[in-house]
Amino acid sequence: MKRLLTGLALLALAGGGIGWLLTAPGTVEASRLDGVTGEAARGEAVFTAAGCASCHHAPDSKDKQLLSGGQAFASDFGTFYAPNISPSTEAGIGGWSLQDFANAVLKGTSPRGQHYYPAFPYGSYSKMEIQDVADLWAYMQTLPPDATPSKAHDVGFPFNIRRSLGGWKLLFFSDDYVMAASDAAGGERGRYLVEALAHCGECHTPRNPLGGLDTSRWLAGAPNPSGQGMIPALTPDKLTWGAEDVAYYLASGFTPDFDSVGGHMAAVVDNFAKLPAEDRAAVAAYVKALPAPD
Amino acid sequence: MKRSIALIALLSTLGGTAAIAQDTNAHLKARQGQFRILALNLGVLGGMAKGAIEYDAAVAQAAADSVAGVAMVHQATLFPEGTDAMSLDGTRADPGIWDNFDDFNAKWAALGEAAMKAKETVGSGKDAIGPALGMLGGTCKGCHDTYRTPE
């Protein structure tokens, strides 16, 4: 009997240990960063395409480059507050290394080895090219530092246990693309912009009850996480615009009938308007090639 | 007698509610109508910018003049208290408008300024349309970003 109990206890320990290992925050292999040097000038376009400022700029600031954080993002799991990612060493990420930054962006892991909540779209950024990560890091260090402390997220039990996010990552986190590589014109670039940098799927794709993206309904429209209204579908069953209309919308904020963009999408359009026309055309080509959801 | 007084009271209450509903309906119609006028005229300029419509200085001028005309409409008259998206169906006016009415007015005034510049430039040639539209569109976004609720 005693032996049986010991055996069971050992098994439980082993099971717990495996679970603990499986939910451990991942990091980027240091070798991937060997010989990679970031260039701030190239990083600006990555920063714009990735829309970092849209969420991290101060809520009431006109200066979209001041990344002091503080914007609130409501969700089914609680309210998340974008943290300070300015180059301040105390309040922001000024004290980080490139490795820390790559772990955050590609793996959703903090320098202290904790999981980030997926309100930070690392599920999309995980597909970012390592050179783009380095360029982005170089660029962000040129932005103004701000000493505003990050605000704690307002998230209840059990979601406030960061380790549980390891389970979430096991289930839903992947650095695979959703759409197969397409040989359509602009396809590769369009896919990289839509699925990785601009992280369109984070809002335009519905989520399951655990907050994982339902990729079988990729970009098929979703309830607005703020609880009000819908984020529109981009799939051909719903979106009637032509590729030129999509590209023009991303440049000007005007729909084909000259209504104008609103809500968080206005910030997205601000970003796309700064990118080259070929990038907008590539996104439009990707969107128009989407399959209708099942 | 008592019953008929009650009935009259009830009827007048109902009548009152109907009158208020009709009132706000007029406000919503006026608001949405002015945005339609803007959209149609921006559509003329946009069509020329995209090359879908041939550039015509007089037509472009008329469109810019119309946008500037709408921008002169005083918004407080169209946006009385209680006509936000939480209180009424059929509007996407964010309740925040009434918390920050000065800011809302400033954003509308920004449309007016952009429209005045567009009036001065769009008649000068096709190349002036794009920048004018960019400015006008920026002011649309600037306000919708904050004060229009999602669909």
Side-chain angles (χ1 to χ4, degrees), chain A residues 76-94:
Chain A
D76 292 346
F77 310 101
T79 299
F80 299 100
Y81 294 94
N84 184 329
I85 58 163
S86 79
S88 158
T89 33
E90 299 82 41
I93 62 174

Side-chain angles (χ1 to χ4, degrees), chain B residues 19-67:
Chain B
I20 290 166
Q22 211 163 26
D23 270 348
T24 54
N25 194 28
H27 289 88
L28 300 197
K29 272 191 182 161
R31 265 142 59 166
Q32 288 160 11
Q34 70 176 355
F35 293 125
R36 284 272 162 82
I37 299 172
L38 289 177
L40 289 171
N41 284 288
L42 291 169
V44 171
L45 296 173
M48 290 181 191
K50 284 199 248 183
I53 310 175
E54 196 158 337
Y55 176 74
D56 179 319
V59 175
Q61 191 64 53
D65 290 351
S66 301
V67 171

Side-chain angles (χ1 to χ4, degrees), chain A residues 250-275:
Chain A
L250 294 174
S252 67
F254 287 125
T255 68
D257 54 1
F258 283 81
D259 190 357
S260 104
V261 64
H264 196 74
M265 192 64 196
V268 178
V269 167
D270 279 344
N271 293 331
F272 268 110
K274 291 186 197 130
L275 296 177

